[in-house]
Amino acid sequence: MTTRPNRLRLILRDLGTAAAFASMAVSGQVPVWALGLVIVAVLVSLMGFHPFARAPRLTAILLVPLAGALYLAVAAGQMDLVVAACSFAGLVASQRLLSETSPTTDGQVLLAGLLMIAGGAALSGELLFAVFLLAFAVLASLSLGLAVVEAAVPPGEPVPVRHVLRPLSKGVIVAMAGAVAFFVLFPRLNWNVGVRRTAPGLGPATSGFSDTVRLGGSGTLKSNPRVVLRAKLTPDPGSQRLDAYWLGRTYDTFNGQEWSTIGAPSKRRRTRVTLRPGAEKQVYQRIELLPAYGARTLIALETPSKLGNALMHTPTGDRRTQLQELGGDELRFVEEALGYSYEVYSVPPGTDTDPGKLAQKELDQLLALPENIDPRIEELAHQVVGNETDPLAAAQKLSNWLQREYTYTLELGGDVADPLMEFLFVRKAGHCEHFATALTLMLRTQGFEARLATGFFGGERVGDEYLVRAGDAHAWTHVLVPGRGFVTVDATPPAFRANQSLELLESLISLYEAIEGMWRSSVVDYSFRDQMNFLRDMSRPPRNEPGKERTQLPPLRAWLTAAMAGAAVYWTWRYLSRRKAKAPVLEATRFVDSVERQLAVAGVRAGDGETLEDVSARLTRDAHPLAPAVSPLTRRYLEARFGQRPLQPGESARLLKELKHSVEVHKQQQQTPRARAS
């Protein structure tokens, strides 16, 4: 009689395999067909069906053409080698899941799971990978533990699942804690040496940038909470939210429907670009554009002076890329990639700056108006501005008037014939592009040079970085002020400049980003230098503060760590002491030794390497008269040994007494035929 595989163990194994595959799939790089095959295989296995059990070799041979197809895709440059290897590991795991269950098959499934975990670490290593890594570790450990207990149970006997799950769970917790301690203390390299810096992600990319800005329609982008860039600033502003403009590109030509620019792309490609002379106390930015950004335009705090040291993040790794200047302060990466990292120096706000490299044609365009512009717009602008000759003062008058007389809304209809006239004289409501367009053209009607600027506004602090969301996309006006350069004037009401997404959704994404930031700094970017700093900070005295006496005592964190370590040692000692007092393992060992001695009296001896479970299985298989008495004793031994249900006082003597009686009856039955024969 064979023992039927424990259903819970198989479910844990299947779910662990699914978690391992998901750790790769979250990178967005696994082919859709491979994703579909693995999902189907896991679902079929979870339902208890194993259609490949009758032909394991034939179905294994089917993997050969799939491996060949993956190889050809890699050779043709259609697929990355790491992605192909990860996909094949998923297919191998699927074939094993649908095959006959056995210890060998289970080992192969979990081995394929480990390979997929390694693949997921190489493809992305992001926060969702950490979730699936933890899920795989817990599920696979529980499945392996149940497999060990199941192998020790005699054939036909039930597995004591309820009794073993609790000690198994404790063992998994201890193992996880040990893994964390090993990771923190054991010398290691930075994960970024092997991990892909970025992955496509699970949603479409959106930055709001295009070669033209069409006026009209609803502002759906303002409600998008996805994070498009991370930036680390020096000096650190220290504030939770930034009231800052992140410039992407500018537009100088409006045809009545949409904005465009007449600037021609430069043919020069450089690794560093200087847009204007710098100034004292510039703001340094280390910016990472995420896959959700989805554009090649560089973003920088106003007003950028120098940009460079750009890296492009691709599925095959990171490499340097060059920049191309388009005019109007816009720079683009030469090559397409999933994400980018670069460095920027920006002139602080309020500093007089050079307007940049503008040709005469571009300067003239700063006063251009659409051919059929409504004459009422010029009249309205003159009513507000009056005889003001200072461009900045005129812009501020118009901005204040627009904020006072017009309302902000994202709920607009489709395209109209004259969107600016519709905004100013009919609806008197619009989003940032309407306010910026109105201010820019009203300034031009009064002879002041101005252009439309687009990018992002704001920034939310998470850790030591600032995050900018897709909903922070914004449009404003640049006014050319003699002697000062382009100055930002924003006609959009201040309350509506940043993203307009739901507060709850934004909070959830902020929480996710905060946890991901901790994961990146504490795990992905954790290196040998961090280990040394960790150990040094745990022992050295705190730095001397002005006005305070220098102390040689360790810092408070060192005392807290020592206290926690002492508590852990004490708790472990108490736990082991209780275990020793109960001595379930020792008592179970004495019990099995006594059972084996009684069986030896009856002429039943264990062979080389045979355990009590093996002897019980042999007696059951041979229909031995002692099998009914030995089987419950074996099960009780397993519960005491593995199920953490110790033998009760007197229970061992009672069970041995019953076995001794069965042995004596068996011996008498053997002697009776002999006496009759003599």
Side-chain angles (χ1 to χ4, degrees):
M1 181 183 296
T2 59
T3 301
R4 184 179 180 183
N6 182 259
R7 182 67 181 148
L8 177 61
R9 177 180 65 80
L10 295 181
I11 291 176
L12 293 173
R13 181 201 67 176
D14 297 347
L15 292 178
T17 305
F21 185 80
S23 71
M24 302 186 305
V26 293
S27 70
Q29 301 179 61
V30 178
V32 176
W33 59 268
L35 179 64
L37 288 176
V38 174
I39 290 176
V40 170
V42 171
L43 292 177
V44 171
S45 183
L46 284 172
M47 290 188 292
F49 299 109
H50 303 281
F52 294 172
R54 296 182 180 180
R57 294 184 179 179
L58 177 61
T59 54
I61 293 175
L62 294 178
L63 293 174
V64 176
L66 292 175
L70 291 171
Y71 173 79
L72 292 176
V74 172
Q78 299 175 353
M79 183 179 294
D80 180 61
L81 179 60
V82 176
V83 176
C86 293
S87 302
F88 188 69
L91 296 176
V92 171
S94 301
Q95 192 273 340
R96 293 285 79 197
L97 284 177
L98 300 179
S99 300
E100 184 178 4
T101 57
S102 66
T104 302
T105 301
D106 295 343
Q108 293 168 345
V109 169
L110 294 177
L111 177 60
L114 287 174
L115 294 175
M116 290 188 287
I117 288 292
L123 291 179
S124 66
E126 296 178 354
L127 181 60
L128 285 178
F129 164 80
V131 174
F132 291 117
L133 169 63
L134 179 63
F136 171 78
V138 172
L139 294 170
S141 298
L142 292 175
S143 177
L144 283 172
L146 286 176
V148 172
V149 176
E150 183 179 328
V153 173
E157 294 292 332
V159 179
V161 174
R162 181 178 300 177
H163 300 292
V164 302
L165 275 182
R166 185 175 180 182
L168 278 178
S169 301
K170 291 181 179 178
V172 170
I173 294 174
V174 173
M176 296 298 105
V180 171
F182 181 85
F183 179 87
V184 172
L185 300 175
F186 192 80
R188 60 186 297 277
L189 292 174
N190 190 310
W191 194 341
N192 281 329
V193 173
V195 72
R196 309 296 177 88
R197 187 63 184 175
T198 191
L202 301 178
T206 174
S207 65
F209 283 109
S210 62
D211 291 334
T212 61
V213 173
R214 190 169 186 84
L215 201 61
S218 60
T220 55
L221 187 62
K222 293 296 290 183
S223 60
N224 190 333
R226 293 190 67 190
V227 177
V228 295
L229 71 86
R230 294 189 180 100
K232 192 169 185 179
L233 309 184
T234 305
D236 190 344
S239 57
Q240 287 301 114
R241 289 187 176 273
L242 287 178
D243 290 328
Y245 293 89
W246 301 82
L247 179 63
R249 66 180 307 178
T250 60
Y251 301 87
D252 53 25
T253 305
F254 186 67
N255 64 3
Q257 289 281 345
E258 63 184 17
W259 284 94
S260 60
T261 183
I262 62 171
S266 172
K267 295 182 179 180
R268 292 185 59 189
R269 299 181 176 186
R270 293 171 287 173
T271 55
R272 292 175 179 267
V273 175
T274 299
L275 295 176
R276 56 182 52 83
E280 294 184 2
K281 299 180 180 179
Q282 295 188 85
V283 180
Y284 169 79
Q285 307 138 63
R286 179 64 185 174
I287 297 177
E288 180 182 3
L289 300 180
L290 304 180
Y293 178 63
R296 288 192 291 142
T297 299
L298 279 75
I299 301 294
L301 285 176
E302 282 197 327
T303 303
S305 60
K306 298 179 181 179
L307 305 93
N309 292 338
L311 287 177
M312 54 186 297
H313 307 309
T314 70
T316 57
D318 300 344
R319 64 176 184 269
R320 295 199 173 274
T321 184
Q322 294 180 312
L323 308 177
Q324 184 179 20
E325 191 172 356
L326 275 73
D329 285 345
E330 182 183 2
L331 292 176
R332 288 187 184 179
F333 300 101
V334 173
E335 300 175 85
E336 194 82 27
L338 296 173
Y340 305 91
S341 297
Y342 55 98
E343 297 175 339
V344 184
Y345 284 93
S346 293
V347 176
T351 305
D352 294 344
T353 61
D354 187 280
K357 303 171 184 177
L358 295 177
Q360 187 60 44
K361 184 179 179 181
E362 292 176 291
L363 284 171
D364 295 340
Q365 200 65 21
L366 296 178
L367 289 172
L369 295 169
E371 293 182 0
N372 300 320
I373 187 171
D374 194 311
R376 291 180 296 171
I377 296 178
E378 182 178 354
E379 297 173 4
L380 184 61
H382 183 70
Q383 291 177 11
V384 177
V385 173
N387 296 322
E388 181 64 61
T389 58
D390 180 67
L392 183 56
Q396 290 172 342
K397 283 185 177 181
L398 286 169
S399 175
N400 294 335
W401 180 80
L402 287 169
Q403 293 179 23
R404 185 174 62 252
E405 299 295 331
Y406 293 81
T407 58
Y408 184 93
T409 181
L410 297 176
E411 303 300 326
L412 295 176
D415 295 336
V416 295
D418 193 336
L420 182 57
M421 187 275 295
E422 179 85 5
F423 168 70
L424 288 174
F425 303 109
V426 180
R427 293 183 60 93
K428 295 190 176 184
H431 45 71
C432 60
E433 293 169 358
H434 295 87
F435 283 91
T437 299
L439 176 58
T440 304
L441 292 183
M442 292 174 82
L443 283 169
R444 289 184 179 185
T445 63
Q446 303 305 300
F448 300 118
E449 297 169 309
R451 67 186 183 186
L452 187 83
T454 59
F456 300 89
F457 177 83
E460 176 186 354
R461 189 182 185 91
V462 174
D464 59 351
E465 295 180 321
Y466 285 93
L467 306 182
V468 176
R469 305 176 187 277
D472 291 324
H474 192 50
W476 60 96
T477 299
H478 278 171
V479 183
L480 185 57
V481 181
R484 295 192 58 183
F486 282 107
V487 178
T488 290
V489 179
D490 195 348
T492 302
F496 301 101
R497 293 172 185 174
N499 73 86
Q500 304 297 310
S501 58
L502 293 176
E503 186 175 350
L504 176 59
L505 183 59
E506 184 180 337
S507 300
L508 292 175
I509 294 181
S510 297
L511 176 61
Y512 174 85
E513 290 292 337
I515 298 174
E516 185 179 38
M518 295 174 58
W519 166 257
R520 286 160 56 93
S521 61
S522 303
V523 180
V524 177
D525 294 332
Y526 190 76
S527 64
F528 181 72
R529 177 180 296 179
D530 296 311
Q531 290 176 316
M532 295 297 100
N533 292 336
F534 172 77
L535 295 176
R536 191 181 299 113
D537 292 341
M538 295 307 300
S539 58
R540 68 183 177 186
R543 294 181 179 179
N544 191 26
E545 297 181 12
K548 288 189 177 181
E549 237 181 273
R550 181 176 176 84
T551 176
Q552 296 297 326
L553 294 175
L556 178 61
R557 56 180 174 271
W559 294 105
L560 292 176
T561 304
M564 292 174 62
V569 171
Y570 175 75
W571 179 85
T572 304
W573 174 76
R574 286 288 305 271
Y575 177 75
L576 293 177
S577 298
R578 290 196 300 268
R579 296 270 297 176
K580 186 176 181 180
K582 294 180 179 180
V585 175
L586 182 59
E587 186 178 356
T589 302
R590 289 201 205 97
F591 177 69
V592 74
D593 290 341
S594 300
V595 171
E596 290 176 347
R597 285 195 296 270
Q598 287 292 332
L599 292 177
V601 172
V604 178
R605 299 182 181 277
D608 293 338
E610 269 194 325
T611 62
L612 177 60
E613 304 93 273
D614 299 328
V615 173
S616 177
R618 173 159 54 85
L619 295 178
T620 302
R621 186 171 56 252
D622 297 341
H624 195 281
L626 289 177
V630 175
S631 181
L633 291 176
T634 304
R635 183 170 62 253
R636 191 64 189 89
Y637 159 70
L638 291 174
E639 291 175 350
R641 182 68 177 85
F642 299 107
Q644 303 301 306
R645 191 165 75 90
L647 292 165
Q648 301 300 319
E651 184 181 7
S652 176
R654 178 178 59 78
L655 293 173
L656 289 172
K657 183 177 180 181
E658 294 175 358
L659 176 61
K660 184 176 181 180
H661 175 71
S662 299
V663 169
E664 290 176 352
V665 171
H666 174 63
K667 289 177 63 177
Q668 291 176 1
Q669 291 176 349
Q670 285 184 323
Q671 292 173 357
T672 300
R674 293 177 185 173
R676 291 178 180 176
S678 60

